[in-house]
Amino acid sequence: MAAFQNFKRKLNPSIPAGEEIADVYVRQMFQRCRNYAGKVFVAEIDDSVVGYACIWTRYRGDEIEDGPENYARSCGITRLFIGMLAANHPARSLCQKLGFQEFAIQPENLNRLSIYS
């Protein structure tokens, strides 16, 4: 998690260093999973984690073998929102290729966070 945070920090230097907040962030992420019947899905390449997605719902699904989006559907979710830094152009491009459309931009000083749905 620290490496992901440090990547985001390269895009936005105002974000805390990964080593400073990784433990707290992971605890909070799993607490939200417990509170909202959530799951964490990780993407791996050559046994290395290269990305992750958290899906928090109010309903518990039965099976997750079909992947994150099907897990969300099994929970009755009809819309997904993905948050990312505006400067994360590869992630934004991937979302657009997958059919997500830009929904909102949230200003933070001079930096922007794009949210797709």
Side-chain angles (χ1 to χ4, degrees), residues 1-112:
M1 191 56 68
F4 291 123
Q5 185 69 13
N6 288 333
F7 171 77
K8 290 180 2 183
R9 190 167 195 226
K10 287 179 184 176
L11 300 174
N12 181 345
S14 69
I15 293 175
E19 296 76 12
E20 294 174 20
I21 66 165
D23 291 339
V24 173
Y25 184 88
V26 169
R27 279 194 304 273
Q28 181 184 51
M29 181 173 61
F30 285 113
Q31 183 61 49
R32 287 180 177 164
C33 285
R34 286 187 292 277
N35 292 345
Y36 302 111
K39 301 249 185 232
V40 177
F41 297 89
V42 295
E44 296 178 316
I45 296 177
D46 297 327
D47 296 326
S48 294
V49 175
V50 296
Y52 71 96
C54 300
I55 297 178
W56 299 307
T57 69
R58 294 253 186 320
Y59 308 100
R60 185 171 304 279
D62 294 328
E63 301 294 330
I64 62 167
E65 285 113 13
D66 293 329
E69 285 195 23
N70 286 330
Y71 172 72
R73 282 188 195 107
S74 74
C75 295
I77 302 302
T78 58
R79 294 181 74 184
L80 290 176
F81 293 89
I82 301 172
M84 68 195 66
L85 295 173
N88 191 344
H89 300 292
R92 293 178 69 191
S93 177
L94 176 62
C95 286
Q96 290 170 342
K97 287 178 184 175
L98 293 173
F100 287 83
Q101 297 177 1
E102 196 166 281
F103 174 72
I105 296 176
Q106 178 180 341
E108 178 195 55
N109 295 332
L110 298 177
N111 302 301
R112 294 179 296 158

